[in-house]
Amino acid sequence: MGTYPCSTCGATADTATGCPSCGASIDAELATLDRTISSMQRRSRAMVDERGALMARLQGAIAIRTMLQRSAEAGRGGRGVRRGRGVQSGPAD
């Protein structure tokens, strides 16, 4: 015999008789757990799909940034860009 927390009232229930506090049966607990597990599985699949979409967007943004950085460097004759608040050095006009 094992024990588990009753999903209805939170009392300690056992695998032989169910919950002594609220009377929830083992069958009722199983039905509740089936619904909970199904819901978690759906949410997990949705999260995997969402992560895949995010990764695709991230890879696209990185590819565009790389393309723009290369274009900017080529336009400056190969000199790198200095990022931040500092003043960029270069030929005076």
Side-chain angles (χ1 to χ4, degrees), residues 67-80:
M67 178 182 65
L68 293 174
Q69 285 173 331
R70 288 179 181 160
S71 176
E73 288 172 6
R76 285 187 297 278
R79 290 188 314 267

Side-chain angles (χ1 to χ4, degrees), residues 3-84:
T3 61
Y4 59 92
C6 176
S7 62
T8 303
C9 71
T12 300
D14 67 66
T15 57
T17 60
C19 183
S21 180
C22 71
S25 68
I26 294 171
D27 289 337
E29 190 70 32
L30 284 169
T32 298
L33 286 169
D34 284 343
R35 287 190 301 274
T36 300
I37 290 167
S38 292
S39 175
M40 289 176 173
Q41 288 171 330
R42 284 191 303 274
R43 185 168 180 231
S44 178
R45 283 190 296 273
M47 291 170 76
V48 168
D49 292 345
E50 186 177 335
R51 184 177 188 278
L54 176 61
M55 291 304 295
R57 288 177 49 208
L58 175 61
Q59 289 171 351
I62 290 170
I64 291 170
R65 180 185 67 184
T66 300
M67 178 182 65
L68 293 174
Q69 285 173 331
R70 288 179 181 160
S71 176
E73 288 172 6
R76 285 187 297 278
R79 290 188 314 267
V81 176
R82 186 170 167 205
R83 295 181 184 245

